[in-house]
Amino acid sequence: MTKPDVGIGPDVESAAAEPPPSLSIAEIFQAHYADVARLAAMLGADDPEDVAQEAFARLYRRQDTLRDPGAALAYLRAIACNLTLNRVRHLQVASRWLSRGEDAGSSEQLVIASEERGEVRAALAALPARQRRPLVLRYWLMSLGIITTY
């Protein structure tokens, strides 16, 4: 009895038993960069090309420590998924912090506030680093609500 033709190539059983050939990082990059960037985009990355590049960089750094060099592509996809999920989480936290800010006033108020912040930044920049650090840290802790008194 012959096997039915369902669009799968011949010798599927023997191909599944053989380990995939090891490819160099350059070959994997040429063949799969677009796929990894597309995966990152589908997972919600705002910068899928950067995620793909970082995934390949991490794979390159770890290529000598892979237990199964034939699994480099699977490892690459896992890296891309983790990087994307971390980036999405980071953006969610950042948007929560930004939404806590004050409502924007008139354009005149924004300009005045911007000029005042510029003057404060200039004054801070004029201080030595040992004096500037405590002021910046105190302001930061106050903005987080950890310190409430002046």
Side-chain angles (χ1 to χ4, degrees):
M1 183 178 245
T2 62
K3 295 180 186 175
D5 184 19
V6 291
I8 299 175
D11 299 331
V12 171
E13 294 165 357
S14 65
E18 296 175 12
S22 295
L23 299 174
S24 72
I25 302 298
E27 292 169 332
I28 294 173
F29 183 85
Q30 289 176 349
H32 297 285
Y33 173 79
D35 295 335
V36 173
R38 191 171 21 260
L39 172 65
M42 288 189 296
L43 289 173
D46 64 331
D47 51 356
E49 292 86 11
D50 289 343
V51 169
Q53 290 174 11
E54 179 63 23
F56 276 101
R58 289 186 183 192
L59 175 64
Y60 178 77
R61 286 192 299 262
R62 298 286 183 141
Q63 67 183 341
D64 296 333
T65 62
L66 291 178
R67 281 182 283 176
D68 181 10
L73 187 56
Y75 181 65
L76 177 68
R77 289 181 183 132
I79 295 170
C81 289
N82 290 335
L83 288 171
T84 301
L85 294 176
N86 289 341
R87 179 71 178 151
V88 168
R89 285 186 203 119
H90 169 76
L91 292 174
Q92 289 171 346
V93 170
S95 69
R96 270 188 253 134
W97 279 103
L98 290 176
S99 67
R100 289 176 131 185
E102 301 172 7
D103 292 333
S106 69
S107 58
E108 293 86 8
Q109 290 172 334
L110 293 174
V111 170
I112 291 169
S114 175
E115 288 178 6
E116 289 173 354
R117 283 192 296 270
E119 291 171 5
V120 170
R121 285 191 181 119
L124 281 172
L127 291 174
R130 289 180 61 101
Q131 293 176 353
R132 183 175 48 240
R133 279 188 212 118
L135 293 172
V136 170
L137 288 173
R138 182 162 179 91
Y139 173 78
W140 180 64
L141 291 172
M142 288 178 67
S143 71
L144 294 176
I146 297 171
I147 296 177
T148 57
T149 59
Y150 290 98

